[in-house]
Amino acid sequence: MRRRRTGGRSARVRTQVLQSVGALLLEAGYDGLTVDAVAERAGVHRTTVYRRWRDVGHLLADVLDTASDDTWSPPDTGSLEDDLTALNQEVYEALTGGGPNLTTALIAAAFRSTQAATALSRFWEDRYARCAVVATRAADRGELPGPADSRALLVAATAPLYHELLLLRAVSDPTLPHRAARAAAAAAGAGVFSTPQ
Amino acid sequence: MRRRRTGGRSARVRTQVLQSVGALLLEAGYDGLTVDAVAERAGVHRTTVYRRWRDVGHLLADVLDTASDDTWSPPDTGSLEDDLTALNQEVYEALTGGGPNLTTALIAAAFRSTQAATALSRFWEDRYARCAVVATRAADRGELPGPADSRALLVAATAPLYHELLLLRAVSDPTLPHRAARAAAAAAGAGVFSTPQ
């Protein structure tokens, strides 16, 4: 559900509603997330929410689409390993940040809602697209044997964090972001992610 | 809920009940999984299931613990890259195998049940422990600069598969098992997973 920013009252309503979705998801999980509960918490009439979003799946999708609606760009540290470490540090903080955690809650919700799953993939693919420059810069600096598949490189760098923290529920290890970045950078340097020229 | 094999009727009941848990999870998801539904499908009195497993969390945990109760050992192909590729091929097939997929359903259930989450971590940690030999053999063959943290190496090799297939829900790519294995083997060869001697 992508829509133009409309400004004014409509934009305020959207902000209130989407904030309420996040708050309810954290407090009560997916099972506590209903259109009525969202409307009540946002102080908005329930028909407004039904008309504009229809159901919980569309509400979650809009939360995720809104998260892409920013000016985020990847760090530019001057080396591939440090760029990937800085990216991993962001992922690590999103997944381990003290207390209940919206990133984890949204990923869990994506196992319940196809709409949320599709929107989450869209969010990640947008991030990977923005990160293409990380691989280009590394190739330009001569850190790679040639052009690389930046998406594959980024997945290799970040996947161990999601795996450890979300699936294995391992004790968080502050050396993980750097180690996973080093591993992906070493593999990239060895040409594993090289694309045919 | 680890228990000794007891053989005879008790073992048959357990097998029937745990098969019913898997079948119901695939058919109706976590929401359709109740002790009563499991008992009915297994053709076992509900009090038997309540007495022995108590709730859905313990049932799921027992399914996962039973999955470790096998003689699985990692492939031994003669090279680190090929060992990791063969392992990844197993993961890939478990996550993409035609039709509804018990591995994915159990991972999804772990987002709903702490018991299932703990049992799933236990299952994976057991697999990592069995795979320690993969790193030892690679070091002995001189493929690594020295002893390596086999768990970190295995997570690096397998995590991109879970990330692509489970979280990103990407179109399955048959080159993924080998590419992720190559990346982890290259990083290991560069000493990224080396342990202090």
Side-chain angles (χ1 to χ4, degrees):
Chain A
M1 186 173 272
R2 295 176 178 283
R3 37 181 81 249
R4 297 181 158 281
R5 289 174 179 288
T6 42
R9 191 183 117 72
S10 174
R12 275 200 311 280
V13 165
R14 185 181 181 215
T15 302
Q16 283 161 357
V17 166
L18 298 186
Q19 282 174 351
S20 301
V21 172
L24 277 168
L25 192 61
L26 284 176
E27 281 173 26
Y30 184 85
D31 290 313
L33 195 64
T34 64
V35 171
D36 286 0
V38 168
E40 191 186 330
R41 181 167 196 127
V44 168
H45 201 283
R46 54 198 290 276
T47 50
T48 305
V49 182
Y50 278 109
R51 199 179 320 118
R52 189 152 166 185
W53 286 277
R54 200 156 70 221
D55 57 27
V56 163
H58 285 91
L59 282 166
L60 284 166
D62 205 19
V63 167
L64 284 156
D65 286 341
T66 305
S68 295
D69 198 8
D70 61 7
T71 58
W72 185 89
S73 64
D76 184 5
T77 64
S79 87
L80 177 60
E81 185 175 314
D82 290 346
D83 280 1
L84 296 175
T85 301
L87 282 166
N88 272 357
Q89 205 62 49
E90 289 186 31
V91 173
Y92 187 81
E93 275 149 31
L95 293 176
T96 58
N101 176 315
L102 189 58
T103 304
T104 304
L106 286 166
I107 294 171
F111 281 93
R112 313 282 301 274
S113 157
T114 308
Q115 306 267 10
T118 306
L120 183 59
S121 300
R122 198 158 56 220
F123 171 80
W124 270 319
E125 297 299 343
D126 173 66
R127 287 294 198 249
Y128 294 135
R130 297 194 207 187
C131 286
V133 65
V134 169
T136 315
R137 287 189 307 232
D140 290 347
R141 280 188 303 256
E143 294 184 81
L144 303 179
D149 178 338
S150 65
R151 187 183 174 291
L153 168 59
L154 265 289
V155 168
T158 56
L161 279 70
Y162 291 98
H163 199 70
E164 289 279 11
L165 300 170
L166 223 76
L167 299 186
L168 294 174
R169 293 161 180 86
V171 178
S172 44
D173 168 3
T175 69
L176 180 58
H178 180 226
R179 193 182 59 213
R182 269 182 72 205
V192 173
F193 305 111
S194 293
T195 47
Q197 283 188 266
Chain B
M1 183 174 275
R2 295 177 178 281
R3 40 181 80 247
R4 298 181 158 281
R5 289 176 180 284
T6 43
R9 194 181 116 74
S10 175
R12 275 200 311 279
V13 166
R14 187 182 180 212
T15 302
Q16 282 161 0
V17 166
L18 298 187
Q19 282 175 351
S20 301
V21 172
L24 277 168
L25 192 61
L26 284 176
E27 279 173 29
Y30 184 86
D31 290 312
L33 195 63
T34 64
V35 171
D36 287 358
V38 169
E40 190 185 331
R41 184 172 193 120
V44 168
H45 203 280
R46 55 198 289 278
T47 49
T48 306
V49 182
Y50 278 110
R51 200 180 319 117
R52 186 151 167 186
W53 287 276
R54 198 156 70 221
D55 56 27
V56 163
H58 285 91
L59 282 165
L60 286 166
D62 206 18
V63 168
L64 285 155
D65 286 341
T66 304
S68 295
D69 197 10
D70 62 8
T71 57
W72 185 90
S73 65
D76 184 6
T77 65
S79 87
L80 177 60
E81 187 176 312
D82 290 346
D83 280 1
L84 296 175
T85 301
L87 282 167
N88 272 356
Q89 206 60 49
E90 289 188 29
V91 172
Y92 187 81
E93 275 150 30
L95 294 175
T96 58
N101 175 317
L102 189 58
T103 305
T104 304
L106 286 166
I107 295 171
F111 280 94
R112 313 282 300 276
S113 157
T114 308
Q115 306 267 10
T118 306
L120 184 58
S121 301
R122 200 159 52 220
F123 171 80
W124 270 320
E125 296 299 344
D126 172 66
R127 286 295 198 246
Y128 294 136
R130 297 194 208 187
C131 287
V133 66
V134 169
T136 314
R137 286 188 307 232
D140 290 347
R141 281 189 300 258
E143 292 184 83
L144 304 179
D149 178 338
S150 65
R151 188 182 174 290
L153 168 59
L154 265 288
V155 168
T158 57
L161 278 70
Y162 291 98
H163 199 69
E164 289 280 10
L165 299 170
L166 224 74
L167 300 185
L168 294 173
R169 291 162 183 83
V171 178
S172 43
D173 168 3
T175 69
L176 180 58
H178 181 225
R179 192 181 62 214
R182 268 184 73 205
V192 173
F193 305 113
S194 293
T195 47
Q197 287 188 263

